[in-house]
Amino acid sequence: MRDNSVRKLVITVFAILLIGGLLVDSAAQKRRRTRRRSSAPRISNPEIYQPSPGDNSNSNSSETSTTNGNSNSNSSQTEDPESMKRTIRTLSTQVDRLTDKLNDLQASQQSIVDLERLSRAEQRSAQLRAELNSIQTKKGELAAHLEDIEFGLKPENIERSTAGIGTTRPEEVREQRRKQLESDRTRTQTQLDQLNASEGRAQQAIATSDADVDRLQKKLDAADRAAIENAKTNSQSGAPQVTASPTPTP
């Protein structure tokens, strides 16, 4: 009895599952059909545009304005060459004036640089002359000392200078005195030779520095004369220009 009831129960469950599967399959097919119908595009005929009378008047006015614009551009093109010539002449004049001002400014700056160089050259010349004076002073002192040595090297002077020394060998004392004076003479002569060489170098340096001073002074004088002549020319022509100011003499 139990086996029969179990079989009936299994058959009933299987039948229920089969019926449910069929129902689910039919529902899915209906959904697919509805989707296909909704995705199909609809074709509609567009409306034909009919222009109004106002549009025709607007198009005519736009064509008229275009024609007027073309005529104005043509007339402006015919006038462009003359205005371009005037503009070119004006720009050329301005460029010439700016070039003159730039040249004058460069000349003024160069004059300032030359003036500074002149001042340094003059200071160097003054320092070299001071050194030369010091060398010549020392040279004079050594020359006087050398004369004293030469005077002391005379035999009678050596004998006179050693006469007051009490000794039993006066000839050795005189020889020692003579050697001492000769050593002093050699040292003094060496110093004089060095001073003579220093004096020659100082004189050469002074000559070079003085030449630089003279050259720079002439250059500045020429720049001053050119500036004055330029100012006279500008005043006579009636076109004022910026000119380099004359450089003061230090």
Side-chain angles (χ1 to χ4, degrees):
M1 291 295 292
R2 288 182 179 178
D3 293 335
N4 292 330
S5 61
V6 170
R7 289 178 182 175
K8 290 180 180 180
L9 181 59
V10 170
I11 292 170
T12 303
V13 171
F14 181 77
I16 291 171
L17 292 174
L18 181 61
I19 293 169
L22 293 174
L23 292 174
V24 171
D25 189 11
S26 62
Q29 289 179 359
K30 288 181 180 180
R31 290 177 183 175
R32 291 175 184 173
R33 290 175 183 175
T34 54
R35 287 179 181 175
R36 289 177 182 176
R37 290 177 183 177
S38 61
S39 62
R42 294 182 180 180
I43 300 173
S44 59
N45 295 325
E47 295 181 358
I48 298 173
Y49 174 74
Q50 294 180 356
S52 61
D55 293 336
N56 293 328
S57 62
N58 291 330
S59 63
N60 293 329
S61 62
S62 64
E63 291 177 357
T64 304
S65 62
T66 303
T67 304
N68 293 330
N70 292 330
S71 62
N72 291 330
S73 63
N74 292 329
S75 62
S76 63
Q77 288 178 358
T78 57
E79 295 176 356
D80 278 342
E82 293 298 329
S83 62
M84 288 177 65
K85 289 180 181 179
R86 289 193 298 270
T87 303
I88 290 171
R89 285 194 295 269
T90 303
L91 292 175
S92 178
T93 304
Q94 292 178 356
V95 169
D96 292 337
R97 290 179 180 177
L98 290 175
T99 302
D100 293 337
K101 290 180 180 179
L102 181 60
N103 293 332
D104 293 335
L105 182 60
Q106 290 177 350
S108 178
Q109 291 177 350
Q110 185 63 40
S111 298
I112 293 173
V113 172
D114 291 338
L115 185 61
E116 292 178 354
R117 293 175 61 188
L118 176 62
S119 178
R120 289 195 297 268
E122 289 176 345
Q123 290 177 1
R124 177 172 173 76
S125 296
Q127 291 176 356
L128 290 172
R129 283 189 171 85
E131 292 178 2
L132 180 61
N133 291 331
S134 177
I135 291 171
Q136 290 175 348
T137 301
K138 292 179 180 179
K139 183 180 175 182
E141 293 175 355
L142 289 175
H145 182 60
L146 185 60
E147 289 180 358
D148 293 338
I149 293 172
E150 293 291 345
F151 181 77
L153 280 172
K154 292 180 179 181
E156 61 272 16
N157 292 329
I158 292 175
E159 185 176 357
R160 187 182 301 112
S161 63
T162 59
I165 300 175
T167 179
T168 58
R169 296 178 179 179
E171 63 276 1
E172 293 181 359
V173 175
R174 288 193 294 270
E175 183 65 20
Q176 184 179 1
R177 176 62 179 171
R178 186 181 62 79
K179 289 181 179 180
Q180 182 181 1
L181 291 173
E182 287 179 351
S183 177
D184 193 8
R185 181 179 63 181
T186 302
R187 184 174 60 254
T188 303
Q189 186 62 48
T190 301
Q191 292 177 355
L192 274 174
D193 293 339
Q194 292 176 354
L195 288 175
N196 286 328
S198 299
E199 183 181 14
R201 288 193 296 269
Q203 289 175 350
Q204 185 177 1
I206 289 172
T208 303
S209 182
D210 289 343
D212 290 339
V213 170
D214 186 56
R215 178 178 57 82
L216 291 171
Q217 188 63 54
K218 289 180 179 179
K219 186 177 181 180
L220 289 172
D221 292 340
D224 291 340
R225 288 193 297 270
I228 294 171
E229 292 296 331
N230 193 11
K232 289 181 180 179
T233 304
N234 291 330
S235 62
Q236 291 175 359
S237 62
Q241 298 287 337
V242 178
T243 58
S245 59
T247 55
T249 302

